[in-house]
PDB file of all heavy atoms in Angstrom:
ATOM      1  N   LEU A   1      -4.486   2.824   2.917  1.00 90.00           N
ATOM      2  CA  LEU A   1      -5.406   1.803   2.412  1.00 90.00           C
ATOM      3  C   LEU A   1      -4.864   1.127   1.156  1.00 90.00           C
ATOM      4  O   LEU A   1      -4.943  -0.102   1.017  1.00 90.00           O
ATOM      5  CB  LEU A   1      -6.774   2.423   2.133  1.00 90.00           C
ATOM      6  CG  LEU A   1      -7.548   2.912   3.369  1.00 90.00           C
ATOM      7  CD1 LEU A   1      -8.870   3.534   2.945  1.00 90.00           C
ATOM      8  CD2 LEU A   1      -7.789   1.779   4.351  1.00 90.00           C
ATOM      9  N   THR A   2      -4.309   1.915   0.222  1.00 90.00           N
ATOM     10  CA  THR A   2      -3.776   1.309  -1.001  1.00 90.00           C
ATOM     11  C   THR A   2      -2.559   0.436  -0.693  1.00 90.00           C
ATOM     12  O   THR A   2      -2.399  -0.654  -1.262  1.00 90.00           O
ATOM     13  CB  THR A   2      -3.406   2.380  -2.043  1.00 90.00           C
ATOM     14  OG1 THR A   2      -2.468   3.309  -1.471  1.00 90.00           O
ATOM     15  CG2 THR A   2      -4.632   3.141  -2.500  1.00 90.00           C
ATOM     16  N   GLU A   3      -1.684   0.903   0.185  1.00 91.00           N
ATOM     17  CA  GLU A   3      -0.518   0.101   0.554  1.00 91.00           C
ATOM     18  C   GLU A   3      -0.937  -1.137   1.347  1.00 91.00           C
ATOM     19  O   GLU A   3      -0.333  -2.204   1.214  1.00 91.00           O
ATOM     20  CB  GLU A   3       0.464   0.943   1.368  1.00 91.00           C
ATOM     21  CG  GLU A   3       1.220   1.987   0.559  1.00 91.00           C
ATOM     22  CD  GLU A   3       2.126   1.375  -0.494  1.00 91.00           C
ATOM     23  OE1 GLU A   3       2.665   0.269  -0.260  1.00 91.00           O
ATOM     24  OE2 GLU A   3       2.285   1.983  -1.563  1.00 91.00           O
ATOM     25  N   ALA A   4      -1.972  -1.000   2.171  1.00 93.00           N
ATOM     26  CA  ALA A   4      -2.470  -2.151   2.922  1.00 93.00           C
ATOM     27  C   ALA A   4      -3.006  -3.218   1.965  1.00 93.00           C
ATOM     28  O   ALA A   4      -2.803  -4.422   2.179  1.00 93.00           O
ATOM     29  CB  ALA A   4      -3.555  -1.726   3.903  1.00 93.00           C
ATOM     30  N   SER A   5      -3.680  -2.785   0.914  1.00 93.00           N
ATOM     31  CA  SER A   5      -4.200  -3.748  -0.056  1.00 93.00           C
ATOM     32  C   SER A   5      -3.057  -4.495  -0.739  1.00 93.00           C
ATOM     33  O   SER A   5      -3.134  -5.708  -0.980  1.00 93.00           O
ATOM     34  CB  SER A   5      -5.073  -3.042  -1.093  1.00 93.00           C
ATOM     35  OG  SER A   5      -4.312  -2.152  -1.888  1.00 93.00           O
ATOM     36  N   ASN A   6      -1.972  -3.774  -1.042  1.00 93.00           N
ATOM     37  CA  ASN A   6      -0.807  -4.394  -1.682  1.00 93.00           C
ATOM     38  C   ASN A   6      -0.143  -5.400  -0.743  1.00 93.00           C
ATOM     39  O   ASN A   6       0.150  -6.545  -1.118  1.00 93.00           O
ATOM     40  CB  ASN A   6       0.190  -3.307  -2.087  1.00 93.00           C
ATOM     41  CG  ASN A   6       1.295  -3.834  -3.000  1.00 93.00           C
ATOM     42  OD1 ASN A   6       1.356  -5.025  -3.297  1.00 93.00           O
ATOM     43  ND2 ASN A   6       2.161  -2.957  -3.434  1.00 93.00           N
ATOM     44  N   LEU A   7       0.090  -4.982   0.505  1.00 94.00           N
ATOM     45  CA  LEU A   7       0.712  -5.876   1.484  1.00 94.00           C
ATOM     46  C   LEU A   7      -0.171  -7.086   1.788  1.00 94.00           C
ATOM     47  O   LEU A   7       0.310  -8.215   1.900  1.00 94.00           O
ATOM     48  CB  LEU A   7       0.991  -5.115   2.777  1.00 94.00           C
ATOM     49  CG  LEU A   7       2.185  -4.159   2.783  1.00 94.00           C
ATOM     50  CD1 LEU A   7       2.165  -3.299   4.033  1.00 94.00           C
ATOM     51  CD2 LEU A   7       3.495  -4.927   2.692  1.00 94.00           C
ATOM     52  N   LEU A   8      -1.474  -6.842   1.919  1.00 95.00           N
ATOM     53  CA  LEU A   8      -2.391  -7.934   2.224  1.00 95.00           C
ATOM     54  C   LEU A   8      -2.449  -8.934   1.076  1.00 95.00           C
ATOM     55  O   LEU A   8      -2.474 -10.148   1.297  1.00 95.00           O
ATOM     56  CB  LEU A   8      -3.787  -7.385   2.509  1.00 95.00           C
ATOM     57  CG  LEU A   8      -4.858  -8.399   2.895  1.00 95.00           C
ATOM     58  CD1 LEU A   8      -4.447  -9.187   4.134  1.00 95.00           C
ATOM     59  CD2 LEU A   8      -6.196  -7.707   3.146  1.00 95.00           C
ATOM     60  N   TYR A   9      -2.439  -8.414  -0.145  1.00 94.00           N
ATOM     61  CA  TYR A   9      -2.428  -9.308  -1.301  1.00 94.00           C
ATOM     62  C   TYR A   9      -1.154 -10.156  -1.284  1.00 94.00           C
ATOM     63  O   TYR A   9      -1.192 -11.366  -1.556  1.00 94.00           O
ATOM     64  CB  TYR A   9      -2.506  -8.525  -2.604  1.00 94.00           C
ATOM     65  CG  TYR A   9      -2.577  -9.425  -3.822  1.00 94.00           C
ATOM     66  CD1 TYR A   9      -3.801  -9.916  -4.266  1.00 94.00           C
ATOM     67  CD2 TYR A   9      -1.427  -9.786  -4.514  1.00 94.00           C
ATOM     68  CE1 TYR A   9      -3.871 -10.765  -5.371  1.00 94.00           C
ATOM     69  CE2 TYR A   9      -1.480 -10.623  -5.610  1.00 94.00           C
ATOM     70  CZ  TYR A   9      -2.702 -11.105  -6.035  1.00 94.00           C
ATOM     71  OH  TYR A   9      -2.769 -11.940  -7.120  1.00 94.00           O
ATOM     72  N   GLY A  10       0.004  -9.523  -0.958  1.00 93.00           N
ATOM     73  CA  GLY A  10       1.249 -10.275  -0.888  1.00 93.00           C
ATOM     74  C   GLY A  10       1.198 -11.374   0.158  1.00 93.00           C
ATOM     75  O   GLY A  10       1.682 -12.492  -0.063  1.00 93.00           O
ATOM     76  N   ALA A  11       0.596 -11.075   1.324  1.00 93.00           N
ATOM     77  CA  ALA A  11       0.482 -12.078   2.388  1.00 93.00           C
ATOM     78  C   ALA A  11      -0.421 -13.230   1.953  1.00 93.00           C
ATOM     79  O   ALA A  11      -0.074 -14.410   2.124  1.00 93.00           O
ATOM     80  CB  ALA A  11      -0.064 -11.423   3.654  1.00 93.00           C
ATOM     81  N   ILE A  12      -1.586 -12.898   1.395  1.00 91.00           N
ATOM     82  CA  ILE A  12      -2.510 -13.937   0.947  1.00 91.00           C
ATOM     83  C   ILE A  12      -1.900 -14.716  -0.224  1.00 91.00           C
ATOM     84  O   ILE A  12      -2.098 -15.928  -0.353  1.00 91.00           O
ATOM     85  CB  ILE A  12      -3.863 -13.314   0.550  1.00 91.00           C
ATOM     86  CG1 ILE A  12      -4.531 -12.676   1.778  1.00 91.00           C
ATOM     87  CG2 ILE A  12      -4.793 -14.365  -0.045  1.00 91.00           C
ATOM     88  CD1 ILE A  12      -5.836 -11.964   1.469  1.00 91.00           C
ATOM     89  N   PHE A  13      -1.146 -14.011  -1.065  1.00 90.00           N
ATOM     90  CA  PHE A  13      -0.479 -14.656  -2.201  1.00 90.00           C
ATOM     91  C   PHE A  13       0.478 -15.746  -1.714  1.00 90.00           C
ATOM     92  O   PHE A  13       0.474 -16.866  -2.235  1.00 90.00           O
ATOM     93  CB  PHE A  13       0.277 -13.596  -3.008  1.00 90.00           C
ATOM     94  CG  PHE A  13       1.246 -14.163  -4.010  1.00 90.00           C
ATOM     95  CD1 PHE A  13       0.812 -14.602  -5.253  1.00 90.00           C
ATOM     96  CD2 PHE A  13       2.602 -14.243  -3.727  1.00 90.00           C
ATOM     97  CE1 PHE A  13       1.704 -15.126  -6.180  1.00 90.00           C
ATOM     98  CE2 PHE A  13       3.501 -14.763  -4.637  1.00 90.00           C
ATOM     99  CZ  PHE A  13       3.052 -15.205  -5.871  1.00 90.00           C
ATOM    100  N   PHE A  14       1.291 -15.438  -0.703  1.00 89.00           N
ATOM    101  CA  PHE A  14       2.255 -16.417  -0.201  1.00 89.00           C
ATOM    102  C   PHE A  14       1.534 -17.624   0.409  1.00 89.00           C
ATOM    103  O   PHE A  14       1.873 -18.777   0.112  1.00 89.00           O
ATOM    104  CB  PHE A  14       3.164 -15.768   0.844  1.00 89.00           C
ATOM    105  CG  PHE A  14       4.193 -16.699   1.412  1.00 89.00           C
ATOM    106  CD1 PHE A  14       5.315 -17.040   0.684  1.00 89.00           C
ATOM    107  CD2 PHE A  14       4.020 -17.256   2.672  1.00 89.00           C
ATOM    108  CE1 PHE A  14       6.265 -17.917   1.205  1.00 89.00           C
ATOM    109  CE2 PHE A  14       4.965 -18.129   3.201  1.00 89.00           C
ATOM    110  CZ  PHE A  14       6.092 -18.462   2.460  1.00 89.00           C
ATOM    111  N   ILE A  15       0.529 -17.346   1.237  1.00 88.00           N
ATOM    112  CA  ILE A  15      -0.242 -18.437   1.837  1.00 88.00           C
ATOM    113  C   ILE A  15      -0.955 -19.229   0.739  1.00 88.00           C
ATOM    114  O   ILE A  15      -1.013 -20.462   0.771  1.00 88.00           O
ATOM    115  CB  ILE A  15      -1.248 -17.880   2.850  1.00 88.00           C
ATOM    116  CG1 ILE A  15      -0.515 -17.184   4.006  1.00 88.00           C
ATOM    117  CG2 ILE A  15      -2.147 -18.990   3.394  1.00 88.00           C
ATOM    118  CD1 ILE A  15      -1.418 -16.434   4.959  1.00 88.00           C
ATOM    119  N   GLY A  16      -1.485 -18.505  -0.258  1.00 84.00           N
ATOM    120  CA  GLY A  16      -2.200 -19.155  -1.356  1.00 84.00           C
ATOM    121  C   GLY A  16      -1.314 -20.078  -2.169  1.00 84.00           C
ATOM    122  O   GLY A  16      -1.772 -21.119  -2.651  1.00 84.00           O
ATOM    123  N   CYS A  17      -0.038 -19.717  -2.342  1.00 84.00           N
ATOM    124  CA  CYS A  17       0.871 -20.589  -3.086  1.00 84.00           C
ATOM    125  C   CYS A  17       1.053 -21.920  -2.376  1.00 84.00           C
ATOM    126  O   CYS A  17       1.101 -22.976  -3.014  1.00 84.00           O
ATOM    127  CB  CYS A  17       2.231 -19.890  -3.262  1.00 84.00           C
ATOM    128  SG  CYS A  17       2.238 -18.575  -4.499  1.00 84.00           S
ATOM    129  N   ILE A  18       1.140 -21.888  -1.047  1.00 82.00           N
ATOM    130  CA  ILE A  18       1.270 -23.130  -0.284  1.00 82.00           C
ATOM    131  C   ILE A  18      -0.019 -23.948  -0.382  1.00 82.00           C
ATOM    132  O   ILE A  18       0.011 -25.172  -0.571  1.00 82.00           O
ATOM    133  CB  ILE A  18       1.617 -22.810   1.178  1.00 82.00           C
ATOM    134  CG1 ILE A  18       2.985 -22.131   1.257  1.00 82.00           C
ATOM    135  CG2 ILE A  18       1.613 -24.085   2.025  1.00 82.00           C
ATOM    136  CD1 ILE A  18       3.404 -21.720   2.643  1.00 82.00           C
ATOM    137  N   VAL A  19      -1.170 -23.263  -0.276  1.00 78.00           N
ATOM    138  CA  VAL A  19      -2.456 -23.946  -0.400  1.00 78.00           C
ATOM    139  C   VAL A  19      -2.581 -24.584  -1.778  1.00 78.00           C
ATOM    140  O   VAL A  19      -3.022 -25.739  -1.915  1.00 78.00           O
ATOM    141  CB  VAL A  19      -3.616 -22.968  -0.149  1.00 78.00           C
ATOM    142  CG1 VAL A  19      -4.955 -23.606  -0.500  1.00 78.00           C
ATOM    143  CG2 VAL A  19      -3.626 -22.507   1.304  1.00 78.00           C
ATOM    144  N   LEU A  20      -2.193 -23.850  -2.823  1.00 77.00           N
ATOM    145  CA  LEU A  20      -2.297 -24.356  -4.188  1.00 77.00           C
ATOM    146  C   LEU A  20      -1.457 -25.611  -4.374  1.00 77.00           C
ATOM    147  O   LEU A  20      -1.902 -26.590  -4.975  1.00 77.00           O
ATOM    148  CB  LEU A  20      -1.850 -23.271  -5.177  1.00 77.00           C
ATOM    149  CG  LEU A  20      -1.904 -23.627  -6.668  1.00 77.00           C
ATOM    150  CD1 LEU A  20      -3.333 -23.944  -7.081  1.00 77.00           C
ATOM    151  CD2 LEU A  20      -1.352 -22.493  -7.507  1.00 77.00           C
ATOM    152  N   SER A  21      -0.237 -25.597  -3.837  1.00 76.00           N
ATOM    153  CA  SER A  21       0.617 -26.774  -3.994  1.00 76.00           C
ATOM    154  C   SER A  21       0.056 -27.971  -3.225  1.00 76.00           C
ATOM    155  O   SER A  21       0.151 -29.109  -3.688  1.00 76.00           O
ATOM    156  CB  SER A  21       2.042 -26.453  -3.510  1.00 76.00           C
ATOM    157  OG  SER A  21       2.071 -26.255  -2.113  1.00 76.00           O
ATOM    158  N   ARG A  22      -0.578 -27.709  -2.057  1.00 73.00           N
ATOM    159  CA  ARG A  22      -1.134 -28.808  -1.275  1.00 73.00           C
ATOM    160  C   ARG A  22      -2.391 -29.382  -1.912  1.00 73.00           C
ATOM    161  O   ARG A  22      -2.648 -30.581  -1.832  1.00 73.00           O
ATOM    162  CB  ARG A  22      -1.436 -28.324   0.143  1.00 73.00           C
ATOM    163  CG  ARG A  22      -0.183 -28.028   0.946  1.00 73.00           C
ATOM    164  CD  ARG A  22      -0.482 -27.543   2.346  1.00 73.00           C
ATOM    165  NE  ARG A  22       0.744 -27.293   3.083  1.00 73.00           N
ATOM    166  CZ  ARG A  22       0.795 -26.858   4.326  1.00 73.00           C
ATOM    167  NH1 ARG A  22      -0.325 -26.614   4.989  1.00 73.00           N
ATOM    168  NH2 ARG A  22       1.945 -26.657   4.919  1.00 73.00           N
ATOM    169  N   LYS A  23      -3.165 -28.548  -2.542  1.00 71.00           N
ATOM    170  CA  LYS A  23      -4.409 -29.026  -3.143  1.00 71.00           C
ATOM    171  C   LYS A  23      -4.182 -29.734  -4.476  1.00 71.00           C
ATOM    172  O   LYS A  23      -5.000 -30.554  -4.883  1.00 71.00           O
ATOM    173  CB  LYS A  23      -5.370 -27.853  -3.353  1.00 71.00           C
ATOM    174  CG  LYS A  23      -6.065 -27.370  -2.091  1.00 71.00           C
ATOM    175  CD  LYS A  23      -7.138 -26.352  -2.424  1.00 71.00           C
ATOM    176  CE  LYS A  23      -7.942 -25.961  -1.188  1.00 71.00           C
ATOM    177  NZ  LYS A  23      -9.035 -25.039  -1.518  1.00 71.00           N
ATOM    178  N   THR A  24      -3.096 -29.405  -5.150  1.00 70.00           N
ATOM    179  CA  THR A  24      -2.887 -29.947  -6.485  1.00 70.00           C
ATOM    180  C   THR A  24      -1.762 -30.955  -6.567  1.00 70.00           C
ATOM    181  O   THR A  24      -1.706 -31.746  -7.503  1.00 70.00           O
ATOM    182  CB  THR A  24      -2.571 -28.810  -7.477  1.00 70.00           C
ATOM    183  OG1 THR A  24      -1.346 -28.168  -7.073  1.00 70.00           O
ATOM    184  CG2 THR A  24      -3.687 -27.794  -7.528  1.00 70.00           C
ATOM    185  N   GLY A  25      -0.835 -30.922  -5.595  1.00 68.00           N
ATOM    186  CA  GLY A  25       0.316 -31.799  -5.671  1.00 68.00           C
ATOM    187  C   GLY A  25       1.413 -31.270  -6.564  1.00 68.00           C
ATOM    188  O   GLY A  25       2.411 -31.950  -6.793  1.00 68.00           O
ATOM    189  N   ILE A  26       1.261 -30.049  -7.087  1.00 76.00           N
ATOM    190  CA  ILE A  26       2.296 -29.448  -7.919  1.00 76.00           C
ATOM    191  C   ILE A  26       3.432 -28.980  -7.025  1.00 76.00           C
ATOM    192  O   ILE A  26       3.224 -28.529  -5.902  1.00 76.00           O
ATOM    193  CB  ILE A  26       1.722 -28.268  -8.736  1.00 76.00           C
ATOM    194  CG1 ILE A  26       0.634 -28.777  -9.693  1.00 76.00           C
ATOM    195  CG2 ILE A  26       2.798 -27.568  -9.535  1.00 76.00           C
ATOM    196  CD1 ILE A  26      -0.068 -27.685 -10.452  1.00 76.00           C
ATOM    197  N   ASP A  27       4.655 -29.078  -7.529  1.00 78.00           N
ATOM    198  CA  ASP A  27       5.840 -28.665  -6.781  1.00 78.00           C
ATOM    199  C   ASP A  27       5.660 -27.250  -6.246  1.00 78.00           C
ATOM    200  O   ASP A  27       5.419 -26.319  -7.008  1.00 78.00           O
ATOM    201  CB  ASP A  27       7.061 -28.712  -7.716  1.00 78.00           C
ATOM    202  CG  ASP A  27       8.372 -28.563  -6.965  1.00 78.00           C
ATOM    203  OD1 ASP A  27       8.411 -27.754  -6.016  1.00 78.00           O
ATOM    204  OD2 ASP A  27       9.337 -29.235  -7.339  1.00 78.00           O
ATOM    205  N   PRO A  28       5.750 -27.034  -4.912  1.00 81.00           N
ATOM    206  CA  PRO A  28       5.538 -25.695  -4.350  1.00 81.00           C
ATOM    207  C   PRO A  28       6.532 -24.663  -4.860  1.00 81.00           C
ATOM    208  O   PRO A  28       6.208 -23.479  -4.951  1.00 81.00           O
ATOM    209  CB  PRO A  28       5.688 -25.915  -2.834  1.00 81.00           C
ATOM    210  CG  PRO A  28       6.413 -27.204  -2.686  1.00 81.00           C
ATOM    211  CD  PRO A  28       6.025 -28.033  -3.856  1.00 81.00           C
ATOM    212  N   TYR A  29       7.758 -25.090  -5.206  1.00 84.00           N
ATOM    213  CA  TYR A  29       8.726 -24.133  -5.730  1.00 84.00           C
ATOM    214  C   TYR A  29       8.280 -23.607  -7.094  1.00 84.00           C
ATOM    215  O   TYR A  29       8.450 -22.428  -7.406  1.00 84.00           O
ATOM    216  CB  TYR A  29      10.107 -24.782  -5.861  1.00 84.00           C
ATOM    217  CG  TYR A  29      10.715 -25.214  -4.550  1.00 84.00           C
ATOM    218  CD1 TYR A  29      11.750 -26.133  -4.511  1.00 84.00           C
ATOM    219  CD2 TYR A  29      10.247 -24.706  -3.337  1.00 84.00           C
ATOM    220  CE1 TYR A  29      12.315 -26.538  -3.299  1.00 84.00           C
ATOM    221  CE2 TYR A  29      10.797 -25.099  -2.133  1.00 84.00           C
ATOM    222  CZ  TYR A  29      11.832 -26.015  -2.122  1.00 84.00           C
ATOM    223  OH  TYR A  29      12.379 -26.402  -0.929  1.00 84.00           O
ATOM    224  N   ALA A  30       7.713 -24.494  -7.895  1.00 84.00           N
ATOM    225  CA  ALA A  30       7.208 -24.061  -9.197  1.00 84.00           C
ATOM    226  C   ALA A  30       6.046 -23.096  -9.037  1.00 84.00           C
ATOM    227  O   ALA A  30       5.933 -22.103  -9.763  1.00 84.00           O
ATOM    228  CB  ALA A  30       6.764 -25.278 -10.025  1.00 84.00           C
ATOM    229  N   VAL A  31       5.182 -23.359  -8.058  1.00 85.00           N
ATOM    230  CA  VAL A  31       4.023 -22.492  -7.816  1.00 85.00           C
ATOM    231  C   VAL A  31       4.470 -21.086  -7.432  1.00 85.00           C
ATOM    232  O   VAL A  31       4.005 -20.095  -7.992  1.00 85.00           O
ATOM    233  CB  VAL A  31       3.119 -23.092  -6.719  1.00 85.00           C
ATOM    234  CG1 VAL A  31       2.020 -22.112  -6.344  1.00 85.00           C
ATOM    235  CG2 VAL A  31       2.505 -24.405  -7.189  1.00 85.00           C
ATOM    236  N   ILE A  32       5.393 -20.978  -6.475  1.00 89.00           N
ATOM    237  CA  ILE A  32       5.802 -19.657  -5.985  1.00 89.00           C
ATOM    238  C   ILE A  32       6.576 -18.899  -7.045  1.00 89.00           C
ATOM    239  O   ILE A  32       6.403 -17.679  -7.218  1.00 89.00           O
ATOM    240  CB  ILE A  32       6.631 -19.790  -4.682  1.00 89.00           C
ATOM    241  CG1 ILE A  32       6.754 -18.432  -3.974  1.00 89.00           C
ATOM    242  CG2 ILE A  32       7.995 -20.353  -4.935  1.00 89.00           C
ATOM    243  CD1 ILE A  32       5.537 -17.958  -3.287  1.00 89.00           C
ATOM    244  N   ILE A  33       7.427 -19.568  -7.807  1.00 91.00           N
ATOM    245  CA  ILE A  33       8.226 -18.876  -8.815  1.00 91.00           C
ATOM    246  C   ILE A  33       7.352 -18.408  -9.969  1.00 91.00           C
ATOM    247  O   ILE A  33       7.480 -17.275 -10.450  1.00 91.00           O
ATOM    248  CB  ILE A  33       9.366 -19.788  -9.314  1.00 91.00           C
ATOM    249  CG1 ILE A  33      10.408 -19.950  -8.201  1.00 91.00           C
ATOM    250  CG2 ILE A  33      10.027 -19.217 -10.556  1.00 91.00           C
ATOM    251  CD1 ILE A  33      11.521 -20.905  -8.535  1.00 91.00           C
ATOM    252  N   LYS A  34       6.436 -19.256 -10.409  1.00 90.00           N
ATOM    253  CA  LYS A  34       5.524 -18.829 -11.474  1.00 90.00           C
ATOM    254  C   LYS A  34       4.637 -17.680 -11.012  1.00 90.00           C
ATOM    255  O   LYS A  34       4.400 -16.723 -11.757  1.00 90.00           O
ATOM    256  CB  LYS A  34       4.650 -20.010 -11.925  1.00 90.00           C
ATOM    257  CG  LYS A  34       5.362 -21.002 -12.831  1.00 90.00           C
ATOM    258  CD  LYS A  34       4.361 -22.034 -13.334  1.00 90.00           C
ATOM    259  CE  LYS A  34       5.003 -22.966 -14.341  1.00 90.00           C
ATOM    260  NZ  LYS A  34       4.014 -23.916 -14.909  1.00 90.00           N
ATOM    261  N   GLY A  35       4.126 -17.783  -9.783  1.00 91.00           N
ATOM    262  CA  GLY A  35       3.274 -16.724  -9.262  1.00 91.00           C
ATOM    263  C   GLY A  35       4.001 -15.400  -9.158  1.00 91.00           C
ATOM    264  O   GLY A  35       3.482 -14.354  -9.565  1.00 91.00           O
ATOM    265  N   LEU A  36       5.218 -15.408  -8.617  1.00 94.00           N
ATOM    266  CA  LEU A  36       6.014 -14.181  -8.511  1.00 94.00           C
ATOM    267  C   LEU A  36       6.299 -13.597  -9.887  1.00 94.00           C
ATOM    268  O   LEU A  36       6.265 -12.373 -10.079  1.00 94.00           O
ATOM    269  CB  LEU A  36       7.335 -14.473  -7.792  1.00 94.00           C
ATOM    270  CG  LEU A  36       7.278 -14.715  -6.284  1.00 94.00           C
ATOM    271  CD1 LEU A  36       8.641 -15.173  -5.775  1.00 94.00           C
ATOM    272  CD2 LEU A  36       6.844 -13.451  -5.550  1.00 94.00           C
ATOM    273  N   PHE A  37       6.584 -14.452 -10.845  1.00 95.00           N
ATOM    274  CA  PHE A  37       6.911 -13.976 -12.195  1.00 95.00           C
ATOM    275  C   PHE A  37       5.776 -13.161 -12.787  1.00 95.00           C
ATOM    276  O   PHE A  37       5.962 -12.015 -13.230  1.00 95.00           O
ATOM    277  CB  PHE A  37       7.232 -15.170 -13.100  1.00 95.00           C
ATOM    278  CG  PHE A  37       7.482 -14.789 -14.536  1.00 95.00           C
ATOM    279  CD1 PHE A  37       8.717 -14.322 -14.938  1.00 95.00           C
ATOM    280  CD2 PHE A  37       6.459 -14.891 -15.482  1.00 95.00           C
ATOM    281  CE1 PHE A  37       8.941 -13.958 -16.259  1.00 95.00           C
ATOM    282  CE2 PHE A  37       6.674 -14.534 -16.808  1.00 95.00           C
ATOM    283  CZ  PHE A  37       7.919 -14.067 -17.194  1.00 95.00           C
ATOM    284  N   TRP A  38       4.561 -13.716 -12.783  1.00 94.00           N
ATOM    285  CA  TRP A  38       3.446 -13.016 -13.421  1.00 94.00           C
ATOM    286  C   TRP A  38       3.001 -11.804 -12.618  1.00 94.00           C
ATOM    287  O   TRP A  38       2.671 -10.760 -13.187  1.00 94.00           O
ATOM    288  CB  TRP A  38       2.276 -13.985 -13.624  1.00 94.00           C
ATOM    289  CG  TRP A  38       2.553 -15.035 -14.644  1.00 94.00           C
ATOM    290  CD1 TRP A  38       2.704 -16.378 -14.427  1.00 94.00           C
ATOM    291  CD2 TRP A  38       2.754 -14.838 -16.049  1.00 94.00           C
ATOM    292  NE1 TRP A  38       2.981 -17.032 -15.585  1.00 94.00           N
ATOM    293  CE2 TRP A  38       3.002 -16.115 -16.610  1.00 94.00           C
ATOM    294  CE3 TRP A  38       2.736 -13.725 -16.874  1.00 94.00           C
ATOM    295  CZ2 TRP A  38       3.242 -16.292 -17.958  1.00 94.00           C
ATOM    296  CZ3 TRP A  38       2.974 -13.896 -18.225  1.00 94.00           C
ATOM    297  CH2 TRP A  38       3.219 -15.167 -18.758  1.00 94.00           C
ATOM    298  N   LYS A  39       3.024 -11.900 -11.301  1.00 95.00           N
ATOM    299  CA  LYS A  39       2.613 -10.758 -10.476  1.00 95.00           C
ATOM    300  C   LYS A  39       3.553  -9.577 -10.664  1.00 95.00           C
ATOM    301  O   LYS A  39       3.116  -8.431 -10.871  1.00 95.00           O
ATOM    302  CB  LYS A  39       2.562 -11.166  -9.004  1.00 95.00           C
ATOM    303  CG  LYS A  39       2.195 -10.004  -8.066  1.00 95.00           C
ATOM    304  CD  LYS A  39       2.200 -10.459  -6.624  1.00 95.00           C
ATOM    305  CE  LYS A  39       1.806  -9.311  -5.685  1.00 95.00           C
ATOM    306  NZ  LYS A  39       2.836  -8.262  -5.650  1.00 95.00           N
TER     307      LYS A  39
END
C-alpha cells in the first residue's frame, strides 16, 4: 500500500505536469524539471 501510494503519486505527478503546462501555457519542460526538483 505504501509503495502503491508512491508509484501512484509519481504517475499522477507526470500526468499533472502535462495538465499544468496545458492549462497555464508555461513551458512543459520547466514544469517537469521544477516539479522533480522539489519532490
Side-chain angles (χ1 to χ4, degrees):
L1 293 179
T2 56
E3 287 296 327
S5 66
N6 191 357
L7 284 169
L8 182 58
Y9 183 86
I12 296 177
F13 167 82
F14 180 76
I15 297 172
C17 285
I18 296 178
V19 171
L20 180 61
S21 68
R22 291 180 179 180
K23 283 188 174 183
T24 62
I26 297 175
D27 191 321
Y29 296 162
V31 173
I32 195 74
I33 289 176
K34 283 186 175 184
L36 287 172
F37 176 82
W38 291 112
K39 178 182 181 292

